[in-house]
Amino acid sequence: ESASYPFDMMNFHYYPVFAVNWEAYGIDIIGKTNFIRAKMLEYGADKPLVCTETSMWSNCLDEDVEVVCGSDEKQSRYVVQVNSRSRAAGLEFTIWFMLYDSEDMLTKYGLSEWLGEEYYPKPSHQAYLTLGRQLFDSDYSRTLGLAETGSDQIEAYEFVEQHGAQRVIVAWTNDESY
């Protein structure tokens, strides 16, 4: 008999700078999800998982340290990557931190930036909207393997329309060749 736990969902935060802590369990957010799910199951807690905070910044804090150097392109790519991986990991939902850049923070996590007196969408905002439209009303189906991608540097996920047969493949390279 499984134990009763006084919560409905388990949440966590995930940031790619800490990926090394979870890579033994899977790539990126999938690794942390797998670790938390396995730990919960050790205690008999079979609850849905959600990520209530994830992000990638779009600015460079220190050009000598690559891991802390973001860009509009890296942030836009990460919007697609983390949301695709989240669905592949079986997360109920994932929340992007932040909608707008904060004037009080050095890192610019927002999907929009403050310019003068108004917020303007960054390229990551368009990536977020496009992915949402492409995957609306679809479910994660499977991860494509090496035989289908032709390279171990290509990561690809298949999503299938809930009420039809439309397939969407979301894919990218992990070797920065784009």
Side-chain angles (χ1 to χ4, degrees), residues 73 87 123 153:
E73 184 171 345
R87 295 194 49 197
Q153 292 300 309

Side-chain angles (χ1 to χ4, degrees), residues 62-126:
D62 183 347
E63 293 181 11
D64 296 329
V65 183
E66 184 178 323
V67 72
V68 296
C69 198
S71 67
D72 281 334
E73 184 171 345
K74 285 181 180 180
Q75 185 183 49
S76 298
R77 285 174 54 90
Y78 197 66
V79 162
V80 174
Q81 292 169 341
V82 76
N83 282 290
S84 298
R85 291 170 177 156
S86 292
R87 295 194 49 197
L91 293 173
E92 295 292 315
F93 59 83
T94 301
I95 298 173
W96 185 268
F97 175 84
M98 309 175 66
L99 179 56
Y100 302 108
D101 286 338
S102 171
E103 293 182 48
D104 300 329
M105 296 176 70
L106 292 175
T107 48
K108 303 302 178 191
Y109 293 105
L111 299 175
S112 297
E113 63 184 320
W114 179 256
L115 295 174
E117 305 252 338
E118 206 171 324
Y119 285 102
Y120 292 90
K122 295 194 283 190
S124 57
H125 183 265
Q126 188 60 47

Side-chain angles (χ1 to χ4, degrees), residues 30 33 39 156:
I30 294 172
T33 303
K39 186 59 70 178

